[in-house]
Amino acid sequence: MATIIIDCKTYEVPLGKNVLETCLNLGFDVPYFCWHPGLGSVGACRQCAVKVFKDADDKKGRLVMSCMEPVVHNQHLAVHDADTIDFRKQVIEWLMTNHPHDCAVCDEGGSCHLQDMTVMTGHHERRFTFNKRTYKNQDLGPFLNHEMNRCIQCYRCVRFYKDYAGGKDLDAYASKNNVYFGRAEDGVLENEFSGNLAEICPTGVFTDKTLKEHYTRKWDLTMSPSICQHCSVGCNTIAGERYGALRMIHNRFHEKINGYFLCDRGRFGYEFVNAENRIKQPSINGDVVERTELETRLEKIMKSAKVIGIGSPRASLQSNFALKTLVGEDNFYHGVSDHEHDLAELAVRILKDGPVRTPSTKEIEKSDAIFVLGEDLTNTAPIVALAVRQAVRQDLSGEPEKIHIQGWQDAARKNLQQQRKMPLYSATIHETKLDDICTSANYATPEDIARLGFAVAHCVDHNSPAPEHFPEALQVRARSIANGLLAAKNPTIISGAGCASSAVMKAAANVAIALHKNGIVVGLTYTMLECNSMGLTMIGGHRLSAAFNAVINGHADTLILLENDLFRHGSFAEVGDFLARCKNVIVLDHTKSDSTDRASVVIPAGTFAESDGIIVNNEGRAQRFFQVYESTESIQESWRWIINIGKTLQHPKLQTWQNFEDISKAMASEEPMLQNIDEVNPAVDFRIVGQRIPREPHRFSGRTSMHAHIQVSEQKPPTDDDSPLSYTMEGTRIQPPSAMIPFYWSPGWNSVQSVAKYQHEVGGSLKDGDSGIRLLEANAASSLVYFQGIPEAFVPLEHHLWIVPTYHIFGSEEMSAKSASIQKRIPTPYLLISAVDANIYHLKEQDIIKVSIANISYSFPIKINRNIPVGMAALPYGLCDAPINALPEWGIVETSPLTELHDYVRKTKVQH
Amino acid sequence: MFSIVRSMWLVFLHMFKKRVTIQYPEQKAKLPARWRGRIVLTRDPDMGERCVGCYLCAAACPVDCISLQATQDESGRRYPAFFRINFSRCIFCGYCEEACPTYAIQLIPDFEMGEYNRQNLVYEKQDLLIDSQGKYPGYNYYKVAGMAIQGKEKGAAINEEKPVDIHSLVP
Ligand code: SF4
Ligand code: SF4
Ligand code: SF4
Ligand code: SF4
Ligand code: FES
């Protein structure tokens, strides 16, 4: 701690921070631009000036940039003296000399840091009468607008994009007064985290293009705390609605998970909520019906039928549990392929019964060595990939401390660090976006990845099994990885369901357990395929094939399918046959799919935006998402529909449930793995000074007009029986508990920077701590022993390809792939094969290969890859009709007449 | 007695004074230009819609009776896809006009808006948009703002340099 004196008042503050952070923590409104708690300081904008005095007698002092000035004991500072106030005002006046005067048509307006700082410094009149500099904009693809005239040259964008996120195609160009931030030429911003530029940039240079399609000011949005539904990481988001449509997704700070950032899938995937193919009305055999008719029909069906229910890894715990209760435990099946089911169960078992703890994303960011097995993180769990990048960027050599450079001194740290980085070992099926920072990147088939993992585990602890016939070259590599991990204090092992191999996941577990036995505090992370894969596994249920058998054997004839497109989890023929055999198929879903097309009864379920629910992320953290708005159509949460059905059937349990809390309580008492699930967030009757938490900012406009064209007398706004939030702007302005912060705002701070006011200290945890509760903790008395069953080394088969799944951030996940902006980034389907194989089959890039998988022929254009092992091929998950759920599987390469035709055409073309 | 006679005399004299009461509606009142009455949306000198859909009027309105949705046409101009004022709520305070950065929304000296049916007091854009610049002739927002629109490229607004050539090495 240090004693510092600001404006003649004394404060006790911690050492090791800069003056800007310290002032902000103490509640001083010091304006700033280039500093960001996630990026540190570079002193580029000169906005944050304060005065430092030599001692108590010094009356003159000197101006310093507070973001570059470390706090020292007995420091005398002035924030509000005439010189500094004047200086800051002048700086902003300079920055504004070129401002294009277009706030009215700027999407940043109303949540703009530049506006806030301009008002804060008191600059309100333009004195500069000369011409303004202008720039041409670039087309940056479907996610972001570019309006360079608004730039104030703070460099935040490139520092985030290049340094933090590892992007390569955004940079600063030109010099002096002409500095330009953009790409070398027009084109799509390639980095998977580009959307964060909209929040990082303190001005309106980079703004959300999808928001512009239906533009709404921040103050006009009805917002709710939500959880991203597009991968298993479970990033916290703010979802905003206006006029009955979801308008945008913003970051919601969660110290342990996503910090200040989201990936582009999470930020732009929301458009599926507004898509054309939403199911909005109940229908029976394709005809839209009234609710009453639906209810009578359902009652009739359910009374006379043998019903089974199939749950979903993308539906909430509440919906899955309600269905399980309705159909009974014996008739509840998991709506995932058996393979995926097993992988998820394995993950939960290892993390629950094993001795190794699964870390949060934040902890991964702090690990000092990382070993990734089989997971292309950038495409399966993007924010984890971003965390891995930060871990590697750490400088733990002790050098900075030696010359008194602190963590936030970004430029100095980088200069000192140069190429020094933390070790990252990876073994994947082909190259990944993290390879540029890897100490060693290995490419192998899932079997060989597992073997390498087992070998590493064996090197760490000889009691763990070693693979047989392991080549010496690989043994050397395994030893070096093992040594790297053994030298670390808190390494993390990351694997997951990505390469669809339980052996890989077991190998990862063995490595982690071996390190643990060596007394090392190791973390083990498994990424899953869907947002609630973990939660569904914890609820328990039978495998999907058992459901198929139940219908085939006549034990059941009616199916209730919950928010699931079964065709993603089984082969077309098999699932089609299964659905055809069911007498009644009742589907609850929000978006049309092949499964809803075959349903006799379709019930319109709410998406995350129209629902309340809890999902469990890959860390085992249960988190609640809150309904954003009441739909005007007949849409409601799946669990509410199921309660309704239960009521008409006079189901003993469902009858007694009224709202979200009733289900949660029941779940907590009945599900052994979800014992305190009802404590994920405060109860429905939680109030702050007797008031609800408003979803709308106090400046929300148009409420006496927005519905006036329908009915001029204002209707009563909907009340929320499931949460302490209100659908209006009435309510408390006091900071709500972390799980229930619908938006960030503080007087004078309209932009996203206002999150600082909700934190203990800027960049630290939220005042109320982290939200969500962890359901998986290491088991100290673990009886988990090393996994055996090491697979044989991979041997290529003639005329065959071993086909494994690969993933795309845009396209592999079901819902985001239905978002209009994401669709523009989805690659066309392909089969990735090695150059050797391409030669064997006389194929060139984009030629068609014909492969038969499980007796069905498929044609794919090929992509040739240098690193993928010979004899193996990768098929993008979710992009093509092929049965991804059946992978890995041998594909028989059929000589393709089309290829020869291709070759023929090409050759003749060359000859002419 | 005297005072009664005097009062009657004064009243009698008033019969020859100029009348204050006017015979509305046969006779119309003369209102000053800045009188705050019916709200209109005006056009710029080129007869383009002035409103750029910035939502500031809606935010300023103390009774929240303005709602709109901004959108953009092919030329890059922003305009309101719909613009609604619920005059049954409006208190004619003029805050919306104060807030408007483009002089689009203006209160004009017309108050004859009475309706038997309250629903008829909900005005949509077609009821609000007039073919005139209203009280503030000459102002054209896009000539001042740096946003490029069709027919006005970057660097062509008032007080703007030509766009920077970022490939130039000249100091
Ligand atoms: S584009 Fe934005 S973040 Fe980048 S330098 Fe300009 S103002 Fe700063
Ligand atoms: S897709 Fe995954 S990583 Fe991306 S924002 Fe959503 S939860 Fe986070
Ligand atoms: S005059 Fe006042 S009450 Fe009427 S629309 Fe304008 S701001 Fe609202
Ligand atoms: S303030 Fe003016 S420009 Fe903005 S939305 Fe209202 S009328 Fe249109
Ligand atoms: S914030 Fe300190 S110089 Fe930019």
Side-chain angles (χ1 to χ4, degrees):
Chain A
M1 290 305 255
T3 311
I4 61 169
I5 299 97
I6 305 177
D7 291 341
C8 306
K9 267 184 82 177
T10 309
Y11 300 91
E12 283 289 317
V13 297
L15 282 162
K17 296 200 179 301
N18 60 49
V19 171
L20 175 59
E21 274 176 273
T22 308
C23 288
L24 291 171
N25 287 343
L26 293 172
F28 287 93
D29 280 349
V30 181
Y32 63 88
F33 286 114
C34 64
W35 174 80
H36 184 283
L39 303 177
S41 317
V42 287
C45 70
R46 319 315 281 171
Q47 186 59 62
C48 63
V50 298
K51 241 184 201 178
V52 175
F53 301 93
K54 248 198 342 262
D55 47 41
D57 302 328
D58 181 4
K59 290 283 168 281
K60 203 145 166 269
R62 63 192 167 90
L63 284 171
V64 296
M65 292 310 120
S66 61
C67 68
M68 298 299 283
E69 194 73 13
V71 167
V72 291
H73 194 56
N74 250 336
Q75 201 168 25
H76 291 256
L77 300 161
V79 173
H80 291 313
D81 86 329
D83 288 344
T84 51
I85 291 175
D86 210 41
F87 180 87
R88 294 194 297 247
K89 199 166 155 184
Q90 279 172 25
V91 169
I92 217 148
E93 192 167 2
W94 290 323
L95 292 176
M96 294 294 282
T97 53
N98 292 312
H99 190 273
H101 188 87
D102 62 356
C103 293
V105 289
C106 176
D107 293 353
E108 191 88 352
S111 54
C112 174
H113 192 55
L114 180 59
Q115 279 181 341
D116 289 350
M117 296 300 103
T118 309
V119 173
M120 191 180 284
T121 47
H123 167 61
H124 51 73
E125 209 178 309
R126 188 180 174 79
R127 292 187 294 167
F128 185 78
T129 52
F130 301 97
N131 284 350
K132 301 172 184 177
R133 171 200 60 208
T134 63
Y135 293 108
K136 288 214 171 81
N137 302 329
Q138 292 178 326
D139 183 353
L140 299 176
F143 297 152
L144 290 173
N145 290 311
H146 193 218
E147 188 62 46
M148 251 311 285
N149 282 355
R150 297 173 186 145
C151 178
I152 53 159
Q153 276 75 25
C154 70
Y155 282 76
R156 265 192 188 186
C157 49
V158 286
R159 289 174 57 221
F160 168 74
Y161 196 87
K162 288 171 66 188
D163 301 351
Y164 197 94
K168 307 264 186 287
D169 59 333
L170 183 87
D171 225 320
Y173 295 94
S175 60
K176 54 190 171 62
N177 200 24
N178 293 345
V179 183
Y180 185 87
F181 297 86
R183 298 184 82 246
E185 52 188 19
D186 282 39
V188 175
L189 274 176
E190 284 158 14
N191 192 274
E192 290 76 10
F193 305 95
S194 66
N196 292 304
L197 291 175
E199 289 188 44
I200 277 282
C201 174
T203 75
V205 176
F206 297 103
T207 49
D208 181 341
K209 212 179 226 174
T210 65
L211 173 61
K212 189 176 168 187
E213 294 291 311
H214 40 218
Y215 183 66
T216 308
R217 297 256 178 241
K218 178 183 175 183
W219 67 66
D220 278 345
L221 291 165
T222 304
M223 289 172 273
S224 276
S226 195
I227 306 293
C228 178
Q229 313 273 320
H230 301 299
C231 86
S232 65
V233 179
C235 295
N236 286 208
T237 59
I238 290 171
E241 171 265 0
R242 177 92 184 169
Y243 303 137
L246 193 61
R247 300 282 164 129
M248 57 117 227
I249 294 287
H250 242 278
N251 172 271
R252 184 161 63 92
F253 184 84
H254 192 294
E255 200 207 2
K256 295 283 159 56
I257 303 175
N258 50 314
Y260 290 92
F261 306 112
L262 293 178
C263 79
D264 288 357
R265 184 200 271 179
R267 188 180 297 271
F268 302 110
Y270 75 92
E271 287 180 297
F272 80 92
V273 174
N274 308 326
E276 282 292 312
N277 55 3
R278 279 295 303 276
I279 300 163
K280 295 190 174 159
Q281 298 293 339
S283 65
I284 297 175
N285 297 325
D287 302 323
V288 172
V289 294
E290 289 294 319
R291 249 189 109 124
T292 41
E293 197 183 335
L294 175 77
E295 275 163 13
T296 36
R297 176 61 80 89
L298 282 175
E299 195 180 344
K300 218 172 109 202
I301 295 178
M302 299 283 295
K303 282 218 164 117
S304 63
K306 293 175 270 179
V307 190
I308 56 166
I310 295 186
S312 168
R314 65 168 161 87
S316 64
L317 288 181
Q318 277 68 19
S319 296
N320 277 305
F321 179 72
L323 180 59
K324 184 177 171 184
T325 312
L326 178 71
V327 297
E329 188 157 2
D330 295 338
N331 299 317
F332 181 70
Y333 301 86
H334 281 187
V336 296
S337 69
D338 289 359
H339 201 51
E340 202 180 316
H341 182 112
D342 295 343
L343 294 175
E345 255 179 11
L346 179 65
V348 170
R349 182 157 68 90
I350 294 171
L351 297 179
K352 189 164 103 7
D353 301 339
V356 179
R357 184 173 178 276
T358 182
S360 65
T361 319
K362 178 80 178 180
E363 286 161 300
I364 297 176
E365 218 174 284
K366 296 268 172 272
S367 28
D368 52 357
I370 294 176
F371 185 20
V372 181
L373 286 107
E375 206 64 22
D376 177 2
L377 288 174
T378 314
N379 288 307
T380 57
I383 284 292
V384 174
L386 195 64
V388 168
R389 194 169 280 282
Q390 304 326 307
V392 174
R393 284 179 67 215
Q394 295 175 99
D395 186 352
L396 300 178
S397 62
E399 295 292 324
E401 289 73 26
K402 254 187 239 161
I403 57 169
H404 307 296
I405 291 180
Q406 301 185 356
W408 47 267
Q409 287 168 317
D410 196 44
R413 260 198 50 240
K414 258 172 59 192
N415 268 336
L416 181 70
Q417 186 176 10
Q418 297 294 334
Q419 301 307 318
R420 192 166 46 227
K421 52 185 198 240
M422 304 318 293
L424 165 64
Y425 309 100
S426 98
T428 45
I429 56 169
H430 52 65
E431 67 274 0
T432 71
K433 282 274 184 100
L434 288 175
D435 286 0
D436 60 334
I437 49 166
C438 270
T439 316
S440 93
N442 306 276
Y443 310 112
T445 61
E447 297 69 29
D448 290 334
I449 293 172
R451 286 168 65 81
L452 179 69
F454 280 110
V456 171
H458 180 72
C459 292
V460 174
D461 177 6
H462 286 293
N463 293 328
S464 95
E468 280 171 18
H469 313 298
F470 201 58
E472 185 49 36
L474 285 178
Q475 190 61 45
V476 172
R477 205 169 282 184
R479 215 169 293 132
S480 96
I481 296 175
N483 289 341
L485 294 173
L486 281 167
K489 286 199 191 67
N490 52 342
T492 302
I493 314 300
I494 305 177
S495 181
C499 56
S501 158
S502 56
V504 170
M505 288 172 60
K506 288 175 182 166
N510 273 12
V511 177
I513 296 170
L515 286 166
H516 175 78
K517 291 209 166 145
N518 269 278
I520 293 172
V521 187
V522 55
L524 176 62
T525 292
Y526 287 121
T527 66
M528 292 287 114
L529 291 181
E530 309 257 357
C531 61
N532 198 22
S533 295
M534 285 283 190
L536 182 63
T537 310
M538 290 177 183
I539 279 190
H542 304 289
R543 300 155 122 237
L544 189 58
S545 56
F548 293 179
N549 290 336
V551 170
I552 291 170
N553 300 335
H555 299 313
D557 55 12
T558 292
L559 163 70
I560 303 182
L561 181 60
L562 174 70
E563 301 184 28
N564 200 332
D565 179 8
L566 272 190
F567 289 96
R568 283 178 72 91
H569 300 284
S571 79
F572 220 83
E574 195 181 12
V575 174
D577 179 55
F578 165 66
L579 293 180
R581 274 169 191 267
C582 296
K583 210 164 70 189
N584 298 293
V585 178
I586 302 163
V587 181
L588 288 134
D589 209 346
H590 42 72
T591 308
K592 291 200 181 91
S593 68
D594 288 332
S595 300
T596 60
D597 287 349
R598 284 161 181 75
S600 40
V601 181
V602 178
I603 304 176
T607 61
F608 72 95
E610 296 124 346
S611 306
D612 285 280
I614 293 176
I615 54 177
V616 183
N617 77 353
N618 62 6
E619 180 201 346
R621 190 183 287 269
Q623 302 188 94
R624 163 111 185 238
F625 56 93
F626 292 82
Q627 184 163 2
V628 188
Y629 58 103
E630 289 271 354
S631 173
T632 49
E633 320 272 349
S634 349
I635 297 168
Q636 57 180 10
E637 294 101 331
S638 297
W639 54 259
R640 209 182 294 276
W641 280 114
I642 297 170
I643 292 182
N644 289 349
I645 299 174
K647 287 216 165 97
T648 50
L649 295 175
Q650 288 162 1
H651 188 284
K653 265 189 212 145
L654 289 166
Q655 236 182 20
T656 61
W657 295 350
Q658 297 302 336
N659 60 15
F660 184 84
E661 203 158 81
D662 297 339
I663 303 194
S664 306
K665 287 229 165 79
M667 200 161 27
S669 67
E670 283 172 39
E671 292 291 341
M673 285 204 69
L674 305 171
Q675 269 169 16
N676 37 8
I677 203 75
D678 53 338
E679 286 156 25
V680 168
N681 73 286
V684 180
D685 53 11
F686 173 88
R687 295 288 183 274
I688 298 176
V689 216
Q691 289 183 303
R692 282 180 180 259
I693 300 153
R695 282 182 172 85
E696 293 166 356
H698 64 291
R699 220 176 271 143
F700 187 85
S701 79
R703 62 169 169 172
T704 64
S705 167
M706 53 202 295
H707 304 300
H709 59 306
I710 306 164
Q711 172 60 266
V712 70
S713 342
E714 285 100 45
Q715 304 297 306
K716 183 173 176 284
T719 44
D720 192 343
D721 295 330
D722 301 307
S723 83
L725 273 64
S726 81
Y727 284 111
T728 63
M729 58 208 232
E730 278 79 24
T732 177
R733 296 289 152 201
I734 297 172
Q735 177 172 343
S738 302
M740 299 199 288
I741 301 175
F743 54 86
Y744 295 112
W745 183 84
S746 176
W749 299 80
N750 298 291
S751 80
V752 287
Q753 317 289 331
S754 50
V755 59
K757 300 277 180 190
Y758 290 72
Q759 295 165 326
H760 268 306
E761 50 180 45
V762 187
S765 61
L766 293 169
K767 284 190 183 144
D768 180 51
D770 305 316
S771 54
I773 48 173
R774 279 174 57 105
L775 303 173
L776 295 171
E777 291 299 347
N779 182 354
S782 167
S783 56
L784 201 72
V785 288
Y786 285 120
F787 286 100
Q788 307 286 337
I790 304 174
E792 295 289 315
F794 175 74
V795 187
L797 258 185
E798 216 176 328
H799 298 307
H800 280 69
L801 287 170
W802 181 234
I803 302 180
V804 296
T806 181
Y807 299 83
H808 280 280
I809 179 168
F810 308 122
S812 289
E813 190 271 329
E814 185 181 358
M815 285 304 135
S816 59
K818 294 187 163 131
S819 155
S821 58
I822 300 268
Q823 274 171 351
K824 296 187 184 128
R825 296 285 307 274
I826 299 179
T828 46
Y830 62 87
L831 188 74
L832 197 70
I833 64 172
S834 69
V836 177
D837 284 315
N839 265 339
I840 293 175
Y841 299 110
H842 300 290
L843 294 169
K844 297 186 190 61
E845 188 87 10
Q846 286 305 320
D847 282 354
I848 306 291
I849 190 168
K850 265 197 154 182
V851 198
S852 138
I853 309 170
N855 293 327
I856 303 175
S857 278
Y858 300 93
S859 308
F860 308 104
I862 62 153
K863 263 201 196 168
I864 299 173
N865 186 286
R866 277 184 304 125
N867 296 318
I868 194 165
V870 177
M872 193 187 96
L875 193 63
Y877 188 96
L879 255 55
C880 23
D881 289 338
I884 32 169
N885 52 283
L887 303 180
E889 179 64 275
W890 284 105
I892 307 167
V893 184
E894 301 167 340
T895 333
S896 143
L898 209 60
T899 320
E900 284 160 11
L901 189 67
H902 243 154
D903 273 2
Y904 175 73
V905 173
R906 190 187 308 255
K907 272 178 207 145
T908 38
K909 264 195 192 145
V910 172
Q911 279 160 12
H912 287 300
Chain B
M1 181 70 199
F2 171 74
S3 81
I4 293 173
V5 174
R6 182 175 163 273
S7 305
M8 286 170 72
W9 176 240
L10 287 176
V11 170
F12 177 75
L13 278 187
H14 265 290
M15 284 169 49
F16 304 100
K17 287 261 168 69
K18 191 168 169 269
R19 283 186 188 159
V20 180
T21 314
I22 57 165
Q23 291 307 308
Y24 183 83
E26 287 77 26
Q27 210 184 342
K28 302 284 182 200
K30 256 213 178 114
L31 299 174
R34 284 164 60 188
W35 203 85
R36 301 197 306 262
R38 174 199 295 270
I39 300 176
V40 292
L41 290 174
T42 61
R43 293 179 185 270
D44 64 25
D46 308 331
M47 284 296 118
E49 259 177 67
R50 252 182 185 156
C51 173
V52 297
C54 71
Y55 297 97
L56 289 183
C57 50
C61 180
V63 296
D64 286 340
C65 72
I66 305 180
S67 63
L68 66 144
Q69 174 60 54
T71 187
Q72 190 168 321
D73 64 16
E74 327 72 62
S75 68
R77 281 179 76 115
R78 292 224 181 163
Y79 69 98
F82 77 85
F83 197 110
R84 183 179 309 129
I85 301 182
N86 177 358
F87 279 110
S88 75
R89 284 289 187 188
C90 176
I91 54 169
F92 299 95
C93 63
Y95 283 11
C96 47
E97 179 171 349
E98 295 270 337
C100 181
T102 68
Y103 292 137
I105 196 166
Q106 298 180 12
L107 281 79
I108 58 167
D110 172 14
F111 55 86
E112 294 172 321
M113 301 173 71
E115 293 283 352
Y116 287 107
N117 183 351
R118 193 177 156 205
Q119 187 67 45
N120 295 342
L121 285 167
V122 178
Y123 281 39
E124 297 292 336
K125 190 167 121 180
Q126 68 266 26
D127 311 319
L128 297 166
L129 189 64
I130 60 167
D131 287 339
S132 153
Q133 300 182 50
K135 292 180 278 184
Y136 309 100
Y139 187 72
N140 191 337
Y141 176 76
Y142 282 106
K143 292 248 155 73
V144 187
M147 194 92 155
I149 55 166
Q150 203 178 33
K152 194 216 77 178
E153 291 314 309
K154 285 277 169 212
I158 295 166
N159 268 345
E160 278 190 348
E161 299 282 359
K162 287 269 151 290
V164 165
D165 174 8
I166 59 166
H167 301 296
S168 161
L169 294 175
V170 182

